[in-house]
Amino acid sequence: MNQHFLTALLAGLIFGLGLLVSGMANPAKVLAFLDIAGDWDPSLALVMAGAIAVGLVAFTLARRRKTSLLGEPMRLPTATQIDRPLVLGSLGFGIGWGLAGFCPGPALVALGAGEAKALVFVAAMLGGMGVFELTRR
Amino acid sequence: MVTVDWYAFTPWSALIGGALIGLAAALFILWSGRIAGISGILGGLLRPAEGDTLWRVAFLGGMIVTPLLWQMFDRLPAIRIEAGYPMIIAAGLIVGYSTRLGAGCTSGHGVCGISRLSPRSLLATVCFMATGFLTVYVVRHLAGG
């Protein structure tokens, strides 16, 4: 158990806690946000706002550093190109998100909560990722 | 006209939960130097590399364990999954493939990417939000679902 392992574990725990507290782990609430033509629940916009408000500070600090506080290299993404995979993948992701109300993080939390459908979703998601690995690399 | 469901609107828990998500992303970038993007962390497990697996398992394990810890203190908040199994499987396959193709999901692009003011992530977020809204519109209001 080193510091890197513990940091990742703690980050995962806080991330999961945030998803539970915010209501994002509940697909019905996510779909109520995406259903702008129905009875609209704007909560998810505030989840994003709260996360980005904290994130803006963190990434401003991170950009000024060459190494992390544990001495790891700062692995900030370097890609800047707007390309087809980015656009097609993101458009596709939104379709899958809208069908079930699950994105990857909340699905893992719901899996931990013992939801059978979340387990099936995560298995299918890993299948989709596997197809990508086999065909796109 | 948009009708807001004020009864379902939970501004405080949304903001606090969102801030916790931001805090997790902050901790991870500042201490580990990594982006807290769930699809990337999960997908990377399928390309095993020396010394690159344990931290992924720790992060994802932390997320999965959170509800179990929560249950030791309080009842879990409601998790309602309306979609049937065929829809769940289709959605999972699409989300898995697409998030790897588009190099991120709600966390990597939507939270971390926008926080670092990345034009790529901003565009990605606009794209998945747009098709998310559109898909729910089609399923609920056009297909009569």
Side-chain angles (χ1 to χ4, degrees), chain B:
Chain B
M1 254 325 268
V2 176
T3 320
V4 173
D5 186 353
W6 294 110
Y7 200 71
F9 186 41
T10 49
W12 293 111
S13 56
L15 274 172
I16 293 165
L20 283 168
I21 293 169
L23 186 68
L27 176 73
F28 208 42
I29 190 66
L30 290 173
W31 266 265
S32 295
R34 293 183 191 277
I35 298 286
I38 312 306
S39 57
I41 296 176
L42 188 61
L45 284 175
L46 302 178
R47 316 180 168 175
E50 176 96 31
D52 191 48
T53 300
L54 207 59
W55 69 270
R56 295 177 190 272
V57 172
F59 191 103
L60 301 169
M63 293 185 75
I64 295 173
V65 165
T66 308
L68 302 172
L69 293 178
W70 180 299
Q71 276 174 312
M72 295 166 73
F73 302 98
D74 197 4
R75 266 185 58 183
L76 275 177
I79 295 178
R80 236 174 64 239
I81 308 164
E82 288 155 358
Y85 278 102
M87 187 80 105
I88 289 284
I89 292 169
L93 285 168
I94 295 171
V95 167
Y97 184 85
S98 306
T99 50
R100 294 306 279 152
L101 181 64
C105 57
T106 7
S107 48
H109 283 312
V111 175
C112 296
I114 291 184
S115 291
R116 46 182 198 91
L117 310 173
S118 152
R120 257 173 71 88
S121 289
L122 187 62
L123 177 68
T125 305
V126 169
C127 287
F128 67 67
M129 285 285 176
T131 47
F133 281 119
L134 198 67
T135 301
V136 173
Y137 184 77
V138 170
V139 170
R140 289 199 172 171
H141 301 285
L142 292 187

Side-chain angles (χ1 to χ4, degrees), chain A residues 93 96-97 99-108 115-127, chain B residues 81 85 87-96:
Chain A
F93 165 48
W97 191 32
L99 285 177
F102 268 140
C103 50
L108 291 173
E115 296 289 338
K117 281 179 178 171
L119 176 63
V120 172
F121 181 91
V122 170
M125 179 167 70
L126 279 167
Chain B
I81 308 164
Y85 278 102
M87 187 80 105
I88 289 284
I89 292 169
L93 285 168
I94 295 171
V95 167

Side-chain angles (χ1 to χ4, degrees), chain A residues 18-37:
Chain A
L19 289 173
L20 274 174
V21 169
S22 64
M24 273 212 65
N26 180 8
K29 193 162 177 75
V30 172
L31 292 177
F33 169 76
L34 291 175
D35 188 7
I36 202 154

Side-chain angles (χ1 to χ4, degrees), chain A residues 17 35 42 74 76 84 88 90 100 105-106 130 136-137:
Chain A
L17 183 65
D35 188 7
M74 266 298 168
L76 288 167
R84 270 167 74 95
L88 290 178
S90 301
R136 276 274 170 171
R137 279 185 78 190

